[in-house]
Amino acid sequence: MLLQCRNITYRYPHGDALVFNDLNCRLADPGFHGLFGPSGVGKSTLARIIAGEISGFAGEIKPPATTAILYSSNTERLPGWSGVGDHLAKVTPAARLPLLQELIKAFDLGSCIDSRFSQLSLGQKNRANLTRYLLQEFDLLIMDESLANVDEAIRKQIIVTIKKMFPDKYFLYISHSVAEVSTFCARILVLRDIHKAPQLIEVAGRDHHGDTALDRTALERTMLEIVNAA
Amino acid sequence: MLPKRISQFLIIYFLGLGLLLAVKYGFSLSDYVIPGIADIQQTAAAVFGRYLRAVLDTLGVAVIGHLLAIGMATVVAIVGRPDNLIGTMIKTAAYNLQAYPIVAVAPIIFILLGDGLPSRLLIAAIICYFPLLLSFIGILTEPVASIEHFYVVTGRMRWQLEVKIRAFENIHKLITVVTGSATLAMVGTIVAEFIGADSGIGYSLRIALYQSDIAKVLVALFLIGVFNSLYLVSLELLGLFIQKRMGVEQRMTQ
């Protein structure tokens, strides 16, 4: 087991209201998992607590001491003083340079590799940002709306590629698309309003790898389950 | 850029001159109090060469003092950037010292260093140093989370990179602050010369004051305004060049 959150209780600094009250969750197996919930429910906050970027909460999070957890989000930017390709090459460990080339191809970044970050479209920016995180050493990568503004077809291609290239890693994908998390995620953590108990429900997703036909009935059942849970 | 700066200065200068002449003729003041246009022209012809050299002398000192201040402010802001004991001490000292009218310290500098170049240079640097320091500290202390996050979580963040990111992201502000402080450097040099130096346009102004010669003051003001505008434009052009080299997106200015 990689990650277990037990009895997490948290309120924002200078805030009175609780964000999480006695929240429990776990990620037991590697794979592409989802974190779903309505806006403002605390998905990014929970993700940053798991990544160790927010402290001051009650309860315990138990990753092994050697676990590398990275949190990436669609609000991040690459420095503007060099081209995207130069930046990616600079932050890629030498042993992973071949992987960089594969990701550039799979993420359709070839056409903008010489451009500066500010010149890219929103979708290209998110893809470039996600690429550099995938090239780092990590056990769990949290993708907070990392594929926002990316075309649906490329988004599907990226998720399938990630699942194929990193089968032993853990991913926690935050998205507002119920269809997307239902289709591609193995387990979906549905975060609910603080007044609902339990605050987090786990739903089994279809864990689609893009190589077989999707069972539409099962997918609809999963989507319904998520919507009802939220 | 240059014509705009110069024309802005000329408009203000001649408006001021017009007001002065209106007061002269409105209250029938003698040429001794406020000289007429012919007197001003005569004085300009007589002192232009000498004043031009004096202004260039002042400008040279102001530029060197400005560079010194930029260098000092950069070093101190980098050292005072971290949120530790040294950083807190430097920030507190900077905020408290900048509230003090530094020009009042000028007599001590003249007593200790004499009335030559070092005193003028030091006063020019000190006067524009604190505004620069406060801005530099503000810029270099403020994290750019959207860019820095990746380097922090992947263990790649070094102080040089942190400074580079923050400076790059605030290059427009830095250039504006540096350009704005150029006038302060010029003011500092003139004040220093006025108080106790033996050369420069500030010294010439002091002599004109003792002679109650407004015509000389007006000629000096004209030259100071023109060369100050030239210096500001040079800095703005340098700023544009740096931004272009760094690939910073140009923003509409002015």
Side-chain angles (χ1 to χ4, degrees), chain B residues 1 5 66-67 70 167-168 170-180 182 230-251 253:
Chain B
M1 194 179 280
R5 278 246 181 241
H66 194 206
L67 289 174
I70 292 168
F168 183 85
N170 292 286
I171 194 77
H172 297 286
K173 274 189 208 167
L174 285 173
I175 288 168
T176 305
V177 168
V178 167
T179 309
L230 286 173
Y231 183 37
L232 294 184
V233 169
S234 307
L235 287 173
E236 284 167 353
L237 288 173
L238 183 66
L240 285 175
F241 174 74
I242 291 170
Q243 288 178 59
K244 204 173 174 185
R245 282 290 301 270
M246 292 174 83
V248 178
E249 281 177 77
Q250 299 298 321
R251 289 180 194 166
T253 51

Coordinates of all heavy atoms in Angstrom, one line a residue, chain B residues 1 5 66-67 70 167-168 170-180 182 230-251 253:
Chain B
M1 N 10.4 58.2 -28.2 CA 10.7 58.3 -26.7 C 11.5 59.5 -26.3 O 11.0 60.2 -25.4 CB 11.5 57.0 -26.4 CG 11.6 56.7 -24.9 SD 12.6 55.3 -24.6 CE 11.4 54.0 -24.9
R5 N 10.0 62.8 -24.2 CA 10.6 63.3 -22.9 C 11.1 64.7 -23.0 O 10.8 65.5 -22.1 CB 11.8 62.4 -22.6 CG 11.5 61.1 -21.9 CD 12.0 61.1 -20.5 NE 11.6 59.8 -19.9 CZ 10.9 59.7 -18.8 NH1 10.3 60.7 -18.2 NH2 10.6 58.5 -18.3
H66 N 24.6 56.3 -9.3 CA 23.4 55.5 -9.6 C 23.8 54.1 -9.8 O 23.1 53.2 -9.2 CB 22.7 56.1 -10.9 CG 21.3 55.5 -11.1 ND1 20.8 55.5 -12.4 CD2 20.4 55.0 -10.3 CE1 19.5 55.0 -12.3 NE2 19.3 54.7 -11.0
L67 N 24.8 53.8 -10.5 CA 25.3 52.5 -10.8 C 25.7 51.8 -9.4 O 25.4 50.7 -9.2 CB 26.5 52.4 -11.7 CG 26.2 52.7 -13.2 CD1 27.4 52.8 -14.0 CD2 25.2 51.7 -13.8
I70 N 22.6 50.9 -7.6 CA 22.0 49.7 -8.1 C 22.7 48.5 -7.7 O 22.1 47.5 -7.2 CB 21.9 49.8 -9.7 CG1 21.0 50.9 -10.1 CG2 21.5 48.5 -10.3 CD1 21.1 51.3 -11.6
A167 N 13.5 38.2 -10.8 CA 13.9 39.4 -11.6 C 13.3 39.3 -12.9 O 12.8 40.4 -13.4 CB 15.5 39.4 -11.7
F168 N 13.3 38.2 -13.6 CA 12.8 38.1 -14.9 C 11.3 38.4 -14.9 O 10.8 39.1 -15.8 CB 13.0 36.6 -15.5 CG 12.5 36.4 -16.9 CD1 13.3 36.8 -18.0 CD2 11.3 35.9 -17.1 CE1 12.9 36.6 -19.3 CE2 10.8 35.8 -18.4 CZ 11.6 36.1 -19.5
N170 N 9.7 40.2 -13.0 CA 9.4 41.6 -12.6 C 10.3 42.6 -13.3 O 10.6 43.7 -12.8 CB 9.6 41.8 -11.1 CG 8.6 41.0 -10.3 OD1 7.4 41.4 -10.2 ND2 9.0 39.9 -9.7
I171 N 10.8 42.2 -14.5 CA 11.7 43.0 -15.2 C 11.1 44.4 -15.6 O 11.9 45.4 -15.5 CB 12.2 42.3 -16.5 CG1 13.5 43.0 -17.1 CG2 11.2 42.2 -17.6 CD1 14.7 42.7 -16.3
H172 N 9.9 44.5 -15.9 CA 9.2 45.8 -16.1 C 9.3 46.7 -14.9 O 9.7 47.8 -15.0 CB 7.8 45.6 -16.5 CG 7.6 44.8 -17.8 ND1 7.8 45.3 -19.0 CD2 7.2 43.5 -18.0 CE1 7.6 44.4 -20.0 NE2 7.2 43.3 -19.4
K173 N 9.0 46.1 -13.7 CA 9.0 46.9 -12.5 C 10.5 47.3 -12.2 O 10.7 48.5 -11.9 CB 8.6 46.0 -11.3 CG 7.1 46.0 -11.1 CD 6.8 45.2 -9.8 CE 5.4 44.6 -9.8 NZ 5.2 43.6 -8.8
L174 N 11.4 46.4 -12.4 CA 12.8 46.7 -12.1 C 13.3 47.9 -13.0 O 14.0 48.8 -12.5 CB 13.7 45.5 -12.3 CG 13.7 44.4 -11.3 CD1 14.4 43.2 -11.7 CD2 14.2 44.9 -9.9
I175 N 13.0 47.8 -14.3 CA 13.4 48.9 -15.2 C 12.7 50.2 -14.8 O 13.4 51.3 -14.8 CB 13.1 48.5 -16.6 CG1 14.1 47.4 -17.0 CG2 13.3 49.7 -17.6 CD1 13.8 46.7 -18.3
T176 N 11.5 50.1 -14.5 CA 10.8 51.4 -14.1 C 11.4 52.0 -12.8 O 11.6 53.2 -12.7 CB 9.3 51.1 -13.8 OG1 8.7 50.4 -14.9 CG2 8.5 52.3 -13.5
V177 N 11.7 51.1 -11.8 CA 12.4 51.6 -10.6 C 13.7 52.2 -10.9 O 14.1 53.3 -10.3 CB 12.4 50.4 -9.6 CG1 13.3 50.8 -8.4 CG2 11.1 50.0 -9.1
V178 N 14.5 51.5 -11.7 CA 15.9 52.0 -12.0 C 15.8 53.3 -12.7 O 16.5 54.3 -12.4 CB 16.6 50.9 -12.8 CG1 17.9 51.6 -13.4 CG2 17.0 49.7 -12.0
T179 N 14.9 53.4 -13.7 CA 14.7 54.7 -14.4 C 14.2 55.8 -13.5 O 14.7 56.9 -13.6 CB 13.7 54.5 -15.6 OG1 14.1 53.3 -16.3 CG2 13.6 55.7 -16.5
G180 N 13.3 55.4 -12.6 CA 12.7 56.4 -11.7 C 13.8 56.9 -10.7 O 13.8 58.1 -10.4
A182 N 16.9 57.3 -11.3 CA 17.9 58.1 -12.0 C 17.8 59.5 -11.7 O 18.8 60.3 -11.5 CB 17.8 57.9 -13.5
L230 N 17.8 63.1 -21.2 CA 18.6 62.3 -22.0 C 19.0 61.0 -21.3 O 19.0 59.9 -21.8 CB 19.9 63.0 -22.5 CG 19.7 64.1 -23.6 CD1 21.0 64.8 -23.8 CD2 19.3 63.4 -24.9
Y231 N 19.3 61.2 -20.0 CA 19.7 60.0 -19.2 C 18.6 59.1 -19.0 O 18.7 57.8 -19.1 CB 20.3 60.5 -17.8 CG 20.8 59.4 -16.9 CD1 21.5 58.3 -17.4 CD2 20.6 59.5 -15.5 CE1 22.0 57.3 -16.6 CE2 21.1 58.5 -14.7 CZ 21.7 57.4 -15.2 OH 22.2 56.4 -14.4
L232 N 17.4 59.6 -18.7 CA 16.2 58.7 -18.5 C 15.9 58.0 -19.8 O 15.6 56.8 -19.8 CB 15.0 59.6 -18.1 CG 15.0 60.3 -16.8 CD1 13.7 61.0 -16.5 CD2 15.3 59.3 -15.7
V233 N 16.0 58.6 -21.0 CA 15.7 58.0 -22.2 C 16.7 56.9 -22.5 O 16.4 55.8 -22.9 CB 15.7 59.0 -23.4 CG1 15.7 58.3 -24.7 CG2 14.5 59.9 -23.3
S234 N 18.0 57.2 -22.2 CA 19.1 56.1 -22.3 C 18.7 54.9 -21.5 O 18.9 53.8 -22.0 CB 20.4 56.7 -21.9 OG 20.7 57.9 -22.5
L235 N 18.3 55.1 -20.3 CA 18.0 54.0 -19.4 C 16.7 53.2 -20.0 O 16.7 52.0 -19.9 CB 17.7 54.5 -18.0 CG 18.9 54.9 -17.2 CD1 18.5 55.5 -15.9 CD2 19.8 53.7 -16.9
E236 N 15.8 53.9 -20.5 CA 14.6 53.3 -21.0 C 14.9 52.5 -22.2 O 14.5 51.3 -22.4 CB 13.5 54.3 -21.4 CG 12.8 54.8 -20.1 CD 11.9 56.1 -20.4 OE1 12.0 56.6 -21.5 OE2 11.2 56.5 -19.5
L237 N 15.8 53.0 -23.1 CA 16.3 52.3 -24.3 C 17.1 51.0 -23.9 O 16.9 49.9 -24.4 CB 17.1 53.2 -25.2 CG 16.3 54.2 -25.9 CD1 17.3 55.2 -26.6 CD2 15.4 53.6 -26.9
L238 N 17.9 51.2 -22.8 CA 18.7 50.0 -22.3 C 17.7 49.0 -21.8 O 17.9 47.8 -22.0 CB 19.6 50.5 -21.2 CG 20.5 49.5 -20.6 CD1 21.5 49.0 -21.7 CD2 21.3 50.0 -19.4
G239 N 16.7 49.4 -21.1 CA 15.7 48.5 -20.6 C 15.0 47.7 -21.7 O 14.8 46.5 -21.6
L240 N 14.6 48.4 -22.7 CA 13.9 47.8 -23.9 C 14.9 46.8 -24.5 O 14.5 45.7 -24.9 CB 13.5 48.8 -24.9 CG 12.3 49.7 -24.6 CD1 12.1 50.7 -25.6 CD2 11.1 48.8 -24.4
F241 N 16.2 47.1 -24.6 CA 17.1 46.2 -25.2 C 17.3 45.0 -24.4 O 17.3 43.8 -24.9 CB 18.5 47.0 -25.3 CG 19.6 46.1 -25.8 CD1 19.7 45.7 -27.1 CD2 20.6 45.6 -24.9 CE1 20.8 44.9 -27.5 CE2 21.6 44.8 -25.3 CZ 21.7 44.4 -26.6
I242 N 17.4 45.1 -23.1 CA 17.5 44.0 -22.2 C 16.3 43.1 -22.3 O 16.4 41.9 -22.4 CB 17.7 44.4 -20.7 CG1 19.1 45.1 -20.5 CG2 17.5 43.3 -19.7 CD1 19.3 45.8 -19.2
Q243 N 15.1 43.7 -22.3 CA 13.8 42.9 -22.4 C 13.8 42.1 -23.7 O 13.4 41.0 -23.8 CB 12.6 43.8 -22.3 CG 12.4 44.4 -20.9 CD 11.2 45.3 -20.8 OE1 10.1 44.9 -21.1 NE2 11.5 46.5 -20.4
K244 N 14.3 42.8 -24.8 CA 14.3 42.1 -26.1 C 15.2 40.9 -26.1 O 14.9 39.9 -26.6 CB 14.7 43.2 -27.1 CG 14.2 42.8 -28.5 CD 14.5 43.9 -29.5 CE 14.2 43.5 -30.9 NZ 14.6 44.5 -31.9
R245 N 16.4 41.2 -25.5 CA 17.4 40.1 -25.4 C 16.9 38.9 -24.6 O 17.2 37.7 -24.9 CB 18.7 40.6 -24.8 CG 19.6 41.4 -25.7 CD 20.2 40.6 -26.8 NE 21.1 39.5 -26.3 CZ 22.3 39.6 -26.0 NH1 22.9 40.8 -26.3 NH2 23.0 38.6 -25.6
M246 N 16.1 39.2 -23.5 CA 15.6 38.2 -22.6 C 14.3 37.5 -23.1 O 13.8 36.6 -22.5 CB 15.4 38.7 -21.2 CG 16.7 39.1 -20.5 SD 16.3 39.9 -19.0 CE 16.1 38.5 -17.9
G247 N 13.8 38.1 -24.2 CA 12.6 37.5 -24.7 C 11.3 37.9 -23.9 O 10.3 37.2 -24.0
V248 N 11.4 39.0 -23.2 CA 10.3 39.4 -22.4 C 9.2 40.0 -23.4 O 9.6 40.8 -24.2 CB 10.7 40.4 -21.3 CG1 9.4 40.9 -20.6 CG2 11.7 39.8 -20.4
E249 N 8.0 39.7 -23.1 CA 6.9 40.2 -24.0 C 6.9 41.7 -23.7 O 6.9 42.2 -22.6 CB 5.6 39.6 -23.6 CG 5.4 38.3 -24.2 CD 4.0 37.7 -23.7 OE1 3.0 38.1 -24.2 OE2 4.1 36.9 -22.8
Q250 N 6.8 42.5 -24.8 CA 6.8 43.9 -24.7 C 5.4 44.4 -24.2 O 4.4 43.8 -24.7 CB 7.1 44.6 -26.0 CG 8.4 44.3 -26.5 CD 9.5 44.8 -25.6 OE1 9.4 45.9 -25.1 NE2 10.6 44.0 -25.5
R251 N 5.3 45.3 -23.3 CA 4.0 45.8 -22.9 C 3.9 47.2 -23.3 O 4.9 47.9 -23.6 CB 3.9 45.8 -21.3 CG 3.8 44.4 -20.8 CD 3.7 44.4 -19.3 NE 3.8 43.1 -18.8 CZ 4.0 42.8 -17.5 NH1 4.1 43.8 -16.6 NH2 4.2 41.6 -17.1
T253 N 3.9 50.8 -23.0 CA 4.3 51.8 -21.9 C 4.0 53.2 -22.3 O 4.1 53.5 -23.5 CB 5.8 51.6 -21.6 OG1 6.5 51.8 -22.9 CG2 6.2 50.3 -21.0

